[in-house]
Amino acid sequence: MEILPLVLLLTVASFLLKKSEQRKRIVLLASHLGNYQIEKLMETLAGGYLRALGESDPERREQIWRYLDTTETQLCLQFNKFCAEFAKLDAADTRVSTLALPFPYAAKLFPQATFDLRKALAIHAHGLTQTASNALNRTPRDKAFTLSAELFLMQHTCHWFCNSKAVASARLMARHKTTHAQVLGAVGPDTRAAYVALTGG
């Protein structure tokens, strides 16, 4: 029975340390994202895509798509600036654990089981820019679908950095009603290949 208090103490200590690490990561990411309007632009696109897809008048629908082209360009410019700024951080502060079970400072204790958030963000920046420029000549609907997936995957990566992959996947399902695997399957082929190579899937 004497081991139970020790186990309880270790569990509480682990929980508190993990929460402290999460707070630091959230503050770090937010301090850089706060310089941009990326989240606001994402919300504008999400609402705009729904309006365009629900518009029955072809001329009006085309006007909405053209407006959204400008918003997509603004989002890509801001995200690329954010990535350039974030890339200046020390690698020790941007490691993301790929271990199945989250525990305090796993990224520092097991650096071989991590990936670099700076590299992941660069992959997302490339995918967003490539999709927005419509290099593959997608229809407006297909372009919107792919860009949405690129944005969802980027959000998942940020939540993974701040918490864990499990938490990020749960938030993805709660917010967008889709799984990590489905989002990964919907992004551009370049993004998918680079992302899997970096994170392991």
Side-chain angles (χ1 to χ4, degrees):
M1 295 296 292
E2 293 180 1
I3 198 171
L4 290 178
L6 178 59
V7 171
L8 180 60
L9 180 62
L10 289 174
T11 301
V12 172
S14 177
F15 174 80
L16 293 175
L17 286 172
K18 183 62 181 173
K19 281 295 181 183
S20 176
E21 181 187 25
Q22 287 174 353
R23 280 194 297 270
K24 289 178 181 177
R25 287 172 172 258
I26 291 169
V27 168
L28 176 64
L29 192 58
S31 67
H32 292 276
L33 279 172
N35 298 325
Y36 305 94
Q37 294 184 312
I38 294 169
E39 188 171 353
K40 182 179 179 180
L41 291 167
M42 287 172 61
E43 290 175 358
T44 299
L45 285 177
Y49 290 155
L50 290 176
R51 285 197 304 275
L53 293 170
E55 180 57 59
S56 58
D57 181 359
E59 185 176 341
R60 175 59 182 155
R61 185 168 58 245
E62 183 59 31
Q63 289 177 347
I64 297 173
W65 287 128
R66 284 200 298 269
Y67 167 75
L68 293 174
D69 283 343
T70 302
T71 306
E72 290 167 355
T73 299
Q74 291 175 343
L75 174 61
C76 291
L77 288 172
Q78 290 213 16
F79 194 79
N80 275 281
K81 288 180 180 178
F82 158 67
C83 286
E85 178 185 320
F86 200 84
K88 298 175 183 176
L89 295 178
D90 192 298
D93 297 323
T94 61
R95 306 304 301 180
V96 184
S97 173
T98 58
L99 296 176
L101 296 176
F103 59 89
Y105 305 105
K108 295 184 184 298
L109 294 173
F110 302 97
Q112 71 279 9
T114 65
F115 65 88
D116 192 335
L117 179 63
R118 298 172 304 173
K119 293 181 179 179
L121 292 176
I123 291 170
H124 294 312
H126 176 75
L128 289 169
T129 302
Q130 186 179 53
T131 304
S133 66
N134 208 12
L136 297 181
N137 198 31
R138 296 180 174 93
T139 65
R141 180 184 179 281
D142 288 346
K143 177 186 166 188
F145 178 78
T146 304
L147 190 61
S148 294
E150 295 276 355
L151 290 170
F152 293 168
L153 187 63
M154 179 271 289
Q155 282 185 319
H156 183 278
T157 300
C158 291
H159 288 147
W160 188 351
F161 170 74
C162 292
N163 294 280
S164 67
K165 185 177 182 180
V167 169
S169 297
R171 287 185 176 179
L172 181 64
M173 176 58 73
R175 180 177 292 185
H176 302 296
K177 310 303 180 191
T178 188
T179 66
H180 178 248
Q182 288 172 325
V183 168
L184 188 58
V187 297
D190 288 353
T191 298
R192 183 164 49 254
Y195 177 90
V196 170
L198 178 68
T199 68

